[in-house]
Amino acid sequence: MNEKIDTAGFNIGNIAGNGKAGNLLNVKGMKRGNWSYFFSPMVRFEENGQNFLFSHSADGNKIKLSSLTSEGEGQVFIDDKWHWYYNSQVPFVENGKNYIFCYSNRGNRWFISELSTKWDGQKEIKNGQGFGNDYDVMIPFNENGKNYIFAHSSSDKSWFMTELSTNWDGKNRIKEGRWARFYKVLIPFVENGRSYLFAHSAQDNRWFVSELSTKWNGQSELRCGNWARYYPSVTAFVHLGKPIAYFHSEKDRRWFMWELSTDRKTDKDLNNGNLDSFYDTVTSFKENQACYILAQSSKTKEFFICPVL
């Protein structure tokens, strides 16, 4: 993929943060480079203890599956394209195997396929027509050993949740409703064995934390607030046993890290700073017990991989 990685000339000083809370980003270990395409979404999964990255681009509907390490991309297993662009992709595990659910607003269709290095990128296990609305955001959560999807639409701000499995017919819904705002940023996280939702909207920069379960009514909130900026580029990971989110804003390219929690005592930046560019898409992965962030800019197609201390 025309990948070039180095650590020079990246204005690393701009990424070091303000130092008030101690740097979580280890900028000395940063790798950077350029890809020929801008990929969004990017889905990370594990196979036989190794990390892999499935990437999708709206440019020519390009797809790519490759191994992923802290040094960058490795062996490429899929380098192809799809007929449609699938804006929402949800990975899940069923009976020890990796699968992916993909949904396309443009094509008004969905499919489920195996997600592995043996997959050819085209074979589908199941597929079907869309859901009546454009569902821009879909996230997974787990309850009592079962996989579920929470989907949210920008067109009428509706949402629904349903069980997700290779046997799903694409029709049955557990619950559905409508919000007053569209929340593009939805992050599932686990606290004390229970699933919760963090949601963030461009309207008033509002955010809230709520329960995320099949018993949730879709309206009750545990806590909420408003930020000075909107942070559309987000990834979450577990660091030292706690769920941590990395937020990045196009406004002055600010980033910060925050503990995801139902407790208001965690309402403080773990660290923050400013990047030299806006990196629209971001994901995270673990290697040798260390966490890493992978982010890419749609403007320059430049990416970086940075360890989290």
Side-chain angles (χ1 to χ4, degrees):
M1 165 155 300
N2 233 356
E3 176 184 339
K4 181 182 179 182
I5 298 180
D6 60 59
T7 56
F10 194 61
N11 297 327
I12 284 179
N14 293 337
I15 303 176
N18 58 22
K20 291 182 179 179
N23 288 333
L24 273 177
L25 285 180
N26 179 7
V27 296
K28 292 182 180 179
M30 178 174 287
K31 305 291 183 182
R32 62 180 283 265
N34 288 85
W35 286 330
S36 302
Y37 294 82
F38 170 66
F39 290 103
S40 179
M42 295 190 295
V43 173
R44 185 206 62 82
F45 68 98
E46 292 184 20
E47 185 177 292
N48 298 324
Q50 293 184 326
N51 287 302
F52 295 89
L53 183 68
F54 180 72
S55 307
H56 186 32
S57 175
D59 183 6
N61 304 328
K62 172 86 170 179
I63 60 171
K64 188 174 185 182
L65 193 155
S66 61
S67 60
L68 176 65
T69 73
S70 56
E71 296 297 317
E73 280 187 311
Q75 182 179 355
V76 175
F77 296 88
I78 297 174
D79 189 352
D80 204 350
K81 64 180 181 179
W82 283 338
H83 181 71
W84 298 107
Y85 172 64
Y86 289 82
N87 52 284
S88 292
Q89 298 180 10
V90 179
F92 65 100
V93 178
E94 182 177 293
N95 298 324
K97 291 185 177 182
N98 288 305
Y99 297 92
I100 189 169
F101 171 87
C102 298
Y103 170 73
S104 171
N105 279 344
R106 297 180 184 177
N108 190 36
R109 77 182 300 268
W110 61 267
F111 73 83
I112 295 174
S113 73
E114 179 186 3
L115 182 59
S116 76
T117 55
K118 296 180 181 179
W119 180 41
D120 63 3
Q122 301 294 335
K123 185 178 179 180
E124 301 173 354
I125 296 173
K126 276 197 170 184
N127 60 61
Q129 292 302 303
F131 307 111
N133 285 326
D134 290 345
Y135 285 92
D136 308 76
V137 189
M138 294 184 175
I139 60 170
F141 69 98
N142 190 277
E143 182 177 310
N144 298 323
K146 292 184 178 181
N147 294 300
Y148 296 88
I149 277 184
F150 184 89
H152 184 35
S153 171
S154 63
S155 60
D156 65 355
K157 305 177 183 62
S158 63
W159 59 264
F160 74 84
M161 64 176 73
T162 182
E163 185 177 348
L164 175 62
S165 75
T166 54
N167 294 320
W168 184 49
D169 61 5
K171 298 178 181 179
N172 293 329
R173 299 184 181 185
I174 297 172
K175 285 187 177 180
E176 54 190 331
R178 183 173 282 104
W179 285 337
R181 295 171 174 82
F182 171 60
Y183 290 85
K184 184 177 181 180
V185 174
L186 299 178
I187 311 173
F189 68 96
V190 177
E191 181 180 279
N192 298 322
R194 298 182 64 180
S195 293
Y196 295 93
L197 172 68
F198 174 88
H200 181 37
S201 174
Q203 185 177 342
D204 303 325
N205 302 328
R206 188 179 189 272
W207 62 266
F208 72 81
V209 173
S210 72
E211 177 186 1
L212 181 58
S213 75
T214 55
K215 296 179 181 179
W216 180 45
N217 61 14
Q219 301 297 330
S220 59
E221 300 173 356
L222 299 173
R223 44 196 294 250
C224 62
N226 299 81
W227 285 334
R229 297 170 180 80
Y230 174 54
Y231 293 87
S233 183
V234 180
T235 188
F237 52 91
V238 177
H239 182 63
L240 299 178
K242 297 181 178 180
I244 305 295
Y246 165 89
F247 297 90
H248 182 38
S249 175
E250 188 169 9
K251 183 180 179 180
D252 64 24
R253 303 170 303 283
R254 186 179 188 270
W255 64 266
F256 74 97
M257 291 193 187
W258 205 52
E259 181 181 343
L260 296 169
S261 175
T262 58
D263 190 347
R264 291 185 180 275
K265 294 180 181 179
T266 64
D267 283 0
K268 60 181 180 180
D269 295 2
L270 298 174
N271 197 19
N272 59 64
N274 300 82
L275 301 181
D276 58 352
S277 297
F278 175 57
Y279 293 83
D280 319 40
T281 186
V282 61
T283 188
S284 51
F285 63 98
K286 275 192 173 183
E287 180 180 292
N288 299 325
Q289 303 304 312
C291 296
Y292 292 84
I293 287 175
L294 165 62
Q296 189 189 14
S297 166
S298 63
K299 185 177 180 180
T300 65
K301 298 185 178 64
E302 185 175 50
F303 73 89
F304 72 79
I305 296 175
C306 191
V308 178
L309 295 181

